[in-house]
Structure formats: C-alpha cells, structure tokens
Amino acid sequence: MKTNVYVLYGGKSAEHEVSLKSASAIINALDREKFNVYPIYITKEGVWCSLGLLEKEIKNVEELQVESSQKVAHSIGRFLIETLKVGEKNIIFPALHGTHGEDGTVQGLLELIDVPYVGNGVLSSAAGIDKVIMKNIFEKHKLPQTKYLPIKLHRWKEDEEKTIKEIEEKLRYPYYVKPANLGSSVGINRVENREELNKAIEEAFLYDTKIIIEEEMIAREMQISVIGNDYPKASLPGEFIMERPFFDYNAKYIDGKIIPVVPARLKPEVTEQVRALAVKAFKALDCRGLARVDIFVTDEDELFINEVNTMPGFTALSMTPVLWKATDGTTYSELIEKLIELAFERYEQKKSLLWTRCTK
C-alpha cells in the first residue's frame, strides 16, 4: 500500500509565497510509485483547501492555489473528515515557513490528531522561530553567538528615546534589526545610524510585537544542514557569494544573483568544527528530523552561531538539498524520503510511551 503524503503549504504568514515554491518542489520530487500525494493549500486567511489526489507535475505555483469562502475551523474539520484517509498509512509534510506553520502551532494540531509529520515538534519549532528564545537557549548551552538585545513593542511605545539610548549603550553600530518570529529575511534591515535604526525598528514591529537588535558580525556565513533524530548528522557547510550587504528576501527569492559555493572554502579542521557546532545547536533546541544551522566564520576562524531554521526552504535556490548532494550524493527525492522515514521513526518512538499512569 502506498503512503499518503499530505503536503501543507501557503499559510497565514509573510513567507506564504516562499512556501508555495518549497511545496511545488517537494510535490514534484515525491515518487508516485511509493506515495499518493495530496496538496493542502492554506490560504492567507488560514483556510485549509484540499486539491485532491495529485498525479501530475506542478509546472507553476499558481496551480497550487485555490480560493475558498470556508471558515478556518470548518475547513480543518473538512480536511480531517473528507480528505485524511482513515485506516491507511498517512503522513503530513508541513512545507510551511514562518508563523502559523513553522512556529509549533500546526505541529501542536498534528500531535492532537495523532498523525505522523515531517520535521520538528512543538517545542523546537516554537523556540526555533523565536530568535530571542533561541538565543537565550544557546546562551544557556554556552554556544558562541553575536551580541543581541530584545525589544518589546510596549516598551518602544512607552519611551522610544530611552530604548534607542539603551541599544546604543549596549551594542555598537552597525546593527541588524529583525522581527523575533519570522524568517526568509522578511522585515530585516541593516542600520548604521540612529535615523536608520528608528525606521528599521518601526518596520520590524509591523511583523511582530517583539524584535531583536544584533551587532553586525564581520564574517562569512556558513549554512549547514542537519538531519536525524537521536543521532543527527551535519552536512558539509556551504556559503553564498552575494552582491548585497546581507542576504535579504530579494536576494534569496527574486533577483537570482546569488552564487552558492558548496562545499564552503574552509580549512578541513574548521569545516569539522563548523559541522560539530551545527549538531550542538540542533541538540540544544531538541530538534528532530531536520534543520538548517547558520554559522559565522571570521577571518581568524572563530565560530559564532547566527540562527537555526527548523523548516528550511526547499526551493531551487535552497541550500538543504544542495548540501546533502555534495556531502554524500543524496538526491533531492532521496532526501525527501529520508525525512519521511525519520518522521515515522519518531512517531513510532512516541507511540511506545505510556499516556496513562502506570499502576504496577
């Protein structure tokens, strides 16, 4: 019997369009001899829309979008009753990025309905999407990282001048200003002075009620893919050559002017240190399945963790499949199947646990 794979994509997120690109690639990579593929489009309003069993190849992301006037709760109920095949081998692949998908909310729902799913669980997803919580965890584990300062919206509104002064006292320009709970470089700006800082803070607060200010790190940024459950493994590191001062949304998904270098140009011993640090970060967040870890390497070969992405992109420009191809020859389709295997492994492990008090 084939496994039914339900690919969730879109979502109520600023990364909605990125998710469409990831989903189309994942759907096309799934072997139809092994899997029945059911695309589940989540609109920008949060409505779940099933496209039914899909056998053709997706040539354009517009094919994956539909309109619906349903209510959110009703649409989820309809998916559970009419689309999810009871009594068959099912798995959910959440190809969702950012809020309402990568932040533990969908993962919590999938835990409640007791269906195996690809990727990280509730805790690691929630901690990984929140840059402040993530950095606090790294600090607890004594992992090296850049200096940072979290700012909450209510504090900013109460006294903007005082907040700016505190930032300038604790951190040195230039800074990166980021929404705490977002990815794909949405709402992120590099600033060199107070005027730019004010504008960047206002923009970041459009996307979140909590933001983070980070000191700029003069270094090259490495991207490392980590996959596994109890025994995670890190890929070779890769990096991008960029024309822009930082890797923003346009550079990632629109301009097409980035050049990947895989494996990254590092000394062999530094490569191994980077891979080891990536695994430490993966374990610190209690990740499962996969993650992409971004690590800075200075000219003096010092290492600093930037962040962990618990559901990295799977677009044509995404590093994750490219890194594993370079590391051990794993193809895109093989990587997708490996992630599905890891999801079932974790699910079976959890199913073996007791959910009621042992009376022996």
Short mmCIF file of all heavy atoms in Angstrom, two decimals, residues 356-360:
data_model
loop_
_atom_site.label_atom_id
_atom_site.label_comp_id
_atom_site.label_asym_id
_atom_site.label_seq_id
_atom_site.Cartn_x
_atom_site.Cartn_y
_atom_site.Cartn_z
N THR A 356 -1.01 6.92 30.21
CA THR A 356 -1.76 6.87 31.44
C THR A 356 -0.82 6.43 32.56
O THR A 356 0.26 5.88 32.29
CB THR A 356 -2.93 5.85 31.37
OG1 THR A 356 -2.41 4.56 31.01
CG2 THR A 356 -3.94 6.29 30.32
N ARG A 357 -1.18 6.68 33.79
CA ARG A 357 -0.31 6.36 34.91
C ARG A 357 -0.16 4.85 35.08
O ARG A 357 -1.13 4.10 35.04
CB ARG A 357 -0.90 6.97 36.20
CG ARG A 357 0.01 6.82 37.42
CD ARG A 357 -0.57 7.61 38.58
NE ARG A 357 -1.84 7.06 39.01
CZ ARG A 357 -1.95 6.06 39.91
NH1 ARG A 357 -0.88 5.52 40.44
NH2 ARG A 357 -3.16 5.63 40.25
N CYS A 358 1.08 4.43 35.22
CA CYS A 358 1.36 3.01 35.44
C CYS A 358 1.00 2.65 36.87
O CYS A 358 1.43 3.30 37.83
CB CYS A 358 2.84 2.71 35.18
SG CYS A 358 3.26 0.97 35.39
N THR A 359 0.19 1.60 37.06
CA THR A 359 -0.28 1.22 38.40
C THR A 359 0.49 0.04 38.98
O THR A 359 0.17 -0.44 40.05
CB THR A 359 -1.78 0.87 38.34
OG1 THR A 359 -1.97 -0.18 37.38
CG2 THR A 359 -2.59 2.09 37.95
N LYS A 360 1.49 -0.43 38.26
CA LYS A 360 2.25 -1.58 38.78
C LYS A 360 3.12 -1.17 39.93
O LYS A 360 3.64 -0.07 39.98
CB LYS A 360 3.12 -2.16 37.65
CG LYS A 360 2.31 -2.84 36.56
CD LYS A 360 3.24 -3.45 35.51
CE LYS A 360 2.45 -4.14 34.42
NZ LYS A 360 3.34 -4.73 33.39
#
